[in-house]
Amino acid sequence: MGRKYSQKKFETDAIRRQLKKTDFLEHSVPLYITSSFVFEDSEDMRASFTEEKQRNIYSRFSNPNTSEFVDKIVAMEGAEAGLTFATGMAAVFSTFAALLNSGDHIVSCQSVFGSTHTIFTKIFPKWNISTSYFKVNETDKIESLIQPNTKILYSETPTNPSVDIIDLEELGRIRKRHNLILIIDNCFATPYLQKPIEFGTDLVIHSATKLIDGQGRVLGGVTVGREDLIREIYLFSRNTGPSLSPFNAWILSKSLETLAIRVDKHCENAMQIATFLEAHPSTNMVRYPFLNSHPKYQIAKKQMKLGGVIVAFEIKGGIQAGRNFLNALKMCSLSANLGDTRTIVTHPASTTHSKLDLQERLDADITDGLVRISVGIEDIEDIKADIDQALKCS
Ligand SMILES: *Cc1c(COP(=O)(O)O)cnc(C)c1O
């Protein structure tokens, strides 16, 4: 195994946690492109299938590259165990599907990722699993939504696309009082900025596609947390097959080596863009967790190390101004991803949330002029200049 690093510092874990070296003594970890693994003899095979032996059998169950990747996330989040998935949505779906039975109930924040919302509202009802939603600013109503059959309390923070903050400590208290399983999608913060397990969260989910890859290349997902729950999710997934490819796991594990330095730079740029937009005459409102003006500034400061990569703002002039702004951008990308090295801009009311009517959009805090920027790590002056010239054209 080589020298052991006494897992102390976040960046050291991210860089030095690595698979056992092969006889070649490679410095960077090899890619294990293999669908299955061989056994020494029939006894080895028997003991492996009964799990008396912990080893790789088949890459749908586990693979050295997926194990290395998840071991790092487990350490970074302060979790007991974890599992990788082909996408963030595979992680969300498999986690819930493994833990819930027909008749169970979920209490969830209303502002969750679009596909997660679709799973709760359109897919789970087929199996008699129901969901009640609370609004971001009505966490005081959560307890009134809890029923005898409520099993899971679920949220994201910061939320997408309106960059609201949910108090993790408050959710942790409610979880304890009602003996629920608290699950947090930590995709927007990454374990570098926020560790939900410290506030009593049972399971943390990530779309690794976003900041963990951070360079817009591969899809991936991960769930980490309590060992007993991860075991149930593992048994479900090993049979249903939402597994992460070893190639993607290799990319994602290498990406973690630069997570801290990338996220630091993203947050530094995002803070500058937020300050710039707040002073700009073409905006009505700017939402960034580490701006004094954010309604949950104190909570953001309590649970996050820095403000994150997403800045939302309200452009003067509504839907048309939002579309004009997007059309006038010269450098920033129009794309559905986020957390990429490149700055990405979206206008939810005319794109991702255009199927909702006005009231539904307002319930999710999406006004007609809301623009979301995933601030990249290009030179800050170039990002500012592009946004400024596009605001002048809108
Ligand atoms: C993107 C995203 C997901 C889904 O992840 P995929 O990798 O695209 O499947 C889930 N939750 C949040 C908060 C996301 O941003």
Side-chain angles (χ1 to χ4, degrees):
M1 175 61 102
R3 286 173 297 165
K4 280 233 168 21
Y5 292 86
S6 50
Q7 73 129 295
K8 305 353 132 194
K9 295 278 191 294
F10 188 89
E11 286 86 341
T12 311
D13 260 335
I15 293 168
R16 288 292 179 176
R17 238 171 214 270
Q18 189 167 329
L19 286 174
K20 183 171 175 287
K21 287 187 175 41
T22 72
D23 291 345
F24 291 115
L25 296 182
E26 67 281 348
H27 196 193
S28 176
V29 78
L31 180 48
Y32 290 93
I33 295 286
T34 179
S35 42
S36 67
F37 300 82
V38 293
F39 302 97
E40 307 277 0
D41 50 33
S42 67
E43 173 52 24
D44 182 27
M45 196 164 183
R46 185 203 62 78
S48 302
F49 272 90
T50 58
E51 297 188 48
E52 286 160 47
K53 268 191 187 174
Q54 290 298 319
R55 47 109 75 215
N56 294 301
I57 297 175
Y58 190 62
S59 287
R60 169 152 41 81
F61 309 172
S62 69
N63 171 282
N65 292 117
T66 61
S67 300
E68 181 190 275
F69 171 51
V70 78
D71 280 353
K72 287 187 184 179
I73 303 276
V74 164
M76 291 164 141
E77 288 282 6
E80 293 171 0
L83 201 61
T84 56
F85 298 91
T87 64
M89 285 325 301
V92 172
F93 179 77
S94 307
T95 299
F96 279 85
L99 300 177
L100 292 172
N101 293 310
S102 174
D104 284 344
H105 176 247
I106 304 163
V107 172
S108 169
C109 179
Q110 187 159 37
S111 307
V112 290
F113 188 70
S115 298
T116 305
H117 203 274
T118 304
I119 289 178
F120 292 167
T121 355
K122 304 243 161 73
I123 300 177
F124 280 167
K126 294 200 293 185
W127 300 309
N128 193 26
I129 293 167
S130 56
T131 303
S132 302
Y133 291 107
F134 62 90
K135 292 185 187 168
V136 220
N137 292 316
E138 295 182 350
T139 48
D140 55 325
K141 300 219 175 109
I142 293 177
E143 295 197 275
S144 66
L145 299 173
I146 295 173
Q147 307 170 8
N149 59 341
T150 305
K151 192 156 179 199
I152 292 176
L153 176 58
Y154 184 70
S155 189
E156 297 172 10
T157 179
T159 62
N160 179 37
S162 49
V163 201
D164 275 308
I165 299 287
I166 304 271
D167 187 344
L168 289 171
E169 200 178 343
E170 185 182 8
L171 295 189
R173 272 197 304 272
I174 297 170
R175 170 228 173 269
K176 203 164 172 202
R177 209 175 296 136
H178 298 271
N179 197 23
L180 305 173
I181 300 171
L182 174 58
I183 307 181
I184 299 292
D185 182 333
N186 201 27
C187 164
F188 275 67
T190 81
Y192 181 61
L193 298 182
Q194 173 175 282
K195 295 185 175 57
I197 289 173
E198 289 175 355
F199 299 95
T201 298
D202 298 280
L203 292 170
V204 174
I205 297 179
H206 285 281
S207 164
T209 315
K210 312 294 168 53
L211 277 156
I212 290 176
D213 173 70
Q215 292 143 88
R217 300 165 300 184
V218 301
L219 298 160
V222 58
T223 301
V224 302
R226 263 168 56 189
E227 193 159 18
D228 58 328
L229 299 176
I230 293 293
R231 172 80 187 155
E232 282 185 59
I233 302 164
Y234 168 72
L235 293 175
F236 176 88
S237 303
R238 142 177 183 152
N239 291 297
T240 53
S243 330
L244 180 65
S245 116
F247 177 74
N248 288 6
W250 181 85
I251 299 253
L252 293 167
S253 186
K254 296 299 282 180
S255 303
L256 287 176
E257 296 187 22
T258 56
L259 183 75
I261 191 169
R262 281 187 286 112
V263 173
D264 269 337
K265 185 66 184 169
H266 276 288
C267 294
E268 184 191 319
N269 280 359
M271 186 72 196
Q272 290 213 42
I273 292 297
T275 311
F276 167 75
L277 286 170
E278 202 163 45
H280 202 286
S282 306
T283 67
N284 285 330
M285 177 281 289
V286 179
R287 194 66 73 71
Y288 185 69
F290 271 34
L291 280 184
N292 272 319
S293 56
H294 193 287
K296 305 276 181 63
Y297 174 72
Q298 295 301 342
I299 296 168
K301 282 274 182 179
K302 177 181 70 176
Q303 65 194 28
M304 297 176 77
K305 183 184 167 90
L306 295 164
V309 305
I310 309 290
V311 178
F313 71 98
E314 160 86 17
I315 193 167
K316 286 185 183 162
I319 295 231
Q320 198 51 48
R323 300 188 62 171
N324 292 348
F325 173 71
L326 259 63
N327 288 334
L329 289 164
K330 294 194 170 117
M331 179 185 81
C332 298
S333 312
L334 311 186
S335 173
N337 196 19
L338 63 92
D340 192 294
T341 48
R342 303 171 188 85
T343 300
I344 294 172
V345 180
T346 56
H347 178 236
S350 69
T351 57
T352 44
H353 294 72
S354 62
K355 289 194 196 77
L356 305 184
D357 64 34
L358 182 64
Q359 191 51 50
E360 287 176 312
R361 284 209 299 273
L362 292 179
D363 281 347
D365 249 344
I366 297 159
T367 55
D368 284 349
L370 188 83
V371 175
R372 184 192 82 181
I373 306 182
S374 168
V375 181
I377 57 178
E378 303 99 331
D379 187 280
I380 186 65
E381 294 310 324
D382 288 329
I383 306 173
K384 264 192 215 164
D386 194 27
I387 292 173
D388 191 41
Q389 65 80 24
L391 281 173
K392 286 184 179 130
C393 296
S394 62

